[in-house]
Amino acid sequence: MSGCAQLMWDEAVTGYDFGRGHPMDPVRLALTRSLVGALGLDRQVRLVSAEPAGESTLRLVHRLDYIEAVKTASADPAAADPAYGLGTVDDPAFAGMHEVSALIAGQSVGAAEAVWRGDALHAVNFTGGLHHAMPGAASGFCVYNDAALAIARLLELGAERVAYVDVDVHHGDGVQAAFWEDPRVLTVSLHEHPRTLFPQTGWPQETGADSAEGSAVNVALPAGTGDAGWLRAFHAIVPELLADFRPQVLVTQHGADTHFEDPLAHLAVSLDAQRAVQAACHDLAHEHAEGRWVALGGGGYAVVEVVPRSWTHLVGIAAGRPVEPETVIPESWRQEVYARTRQLGPLRMTDGRWPVPWADWEAGYDPADRLDQAILATRRAAFPLRGLLP
């Protein structure tokens, strides 16, 4: 079974619901799962529902007092303590919050366990990627940091080198914080510049603690960066780092909020470029981690037009059955979209930009170009700490 792909899914994850009007609408999860089914991809993967993460697992990353605060708010949302980031505008408390957050975390931990033990080569949990949650606080729509918990579980199981690559539009601050002092984990985040977007962290100079210098790498992209720049930045940074680090497992976070239609950020990336980076992550896992790949979801607030298509592409790539960009979306799914949201669903699995052209960094750079300045800032700050040329 080691060559197969695993898709983590439990219908109950759609209970991760901060309420009417909140950007993190769980319909995006339900629509992704149904599009995966409409295109027949669920027959190409092993569907698995893992157990919720228990307290001992949650404590691999989160403080006990915070877990208790989540449980208290979960039982009585009116008792939520804002000191723990709970009951805020970003993270309103809701009944059952602890249980469903632990369930999502359990899917990512289960994905990591399956890949490490060889039950699956690739495992996808698009309901996860909640990368802002801190050891002692909720943040940015994230209660438990399933990405960090998956990595911590890999370390517990004996992994000595885990690489985490985050291409969400927001900085992967919670995962970086969890492993700031741990040289066994390389965290790489490509995100919109902290000057223009939450959480205002992820500067190139953030490179890890003294005990783990060069273990955190941040690419702060100018607002407005589009397909060619995004792919150029990814390929100018990520492959060289992974070749040097030689991870035993690659964990990736694929927030779809880099898209030009996303309402909460300012990059201008297409679905086709997102698909290209997903495919690149798959290939990098095979080049540097013997194929061991855990792929997570993340942000994404164009919940009909973008998120389901992006993460369905991710499932197809992990399953070894990539969906061709020109694929027509089944009418049955579009009818479901309208029934659930009163919106018209997209017609094809592309934004019409495939294949996406980009210029390789090795061919030279322009010191006056803002994107190239961002890439160079990252290479100068982090690469020498790893013994690499900037």
Side-chain angles (χ1 to χ4, degrees), residues 11-33:
E11 196 75 38
V13 296
T14 58
Y16 192 81
D17 188 351
F18 290 114
R20 190 177 182 86
H22 192 282
M24 188 77 113
D25 188 335
V27 75
R28 68 198 194 121
L29 304 178
L31 289 177
T32 301
R33 173 64 186 91

Side-chain angles (χ1 to χ4, degrees), residues 224-309:
T225 297
D227 288 359
W230 195 62
L231 289 173
R232 176 172 170 81
F234 179 91
H235 288 283
I237 299 295
V238 178
E240 196 170 342
L241 289 170
L242 295 186
D244 169 69
F245 187 65
R246 298 177 298 110
Q248 292 160 297
V249 185
L250 177 61
V251 180
T252 57
Q253 196 268 22
H254 298 272
D257 42 10
T258 51
H259 196 273
F260 56 79
E261 289 198 15
D262 197 89
L264 298 190
H266 319 99
L267 295 191
V269 173
S270 72
L271 182 77
D272 299 294
Q274 292 177 347
R275 182 186 187 275
V277 161
Q278 294 165 2
C281 289
H282 168 270
D283 293 347
L284 288 166
H286 282 274
E287 287 173 36
H288 303 298
E290 298 182 351
R292 287 187 287 266
W293 182 33
V294 177
L296 309 174
Y301 309 101
V303 298
V304 168
E305 186 67 29
V306 178
V307 175
R309 292 190 298 161

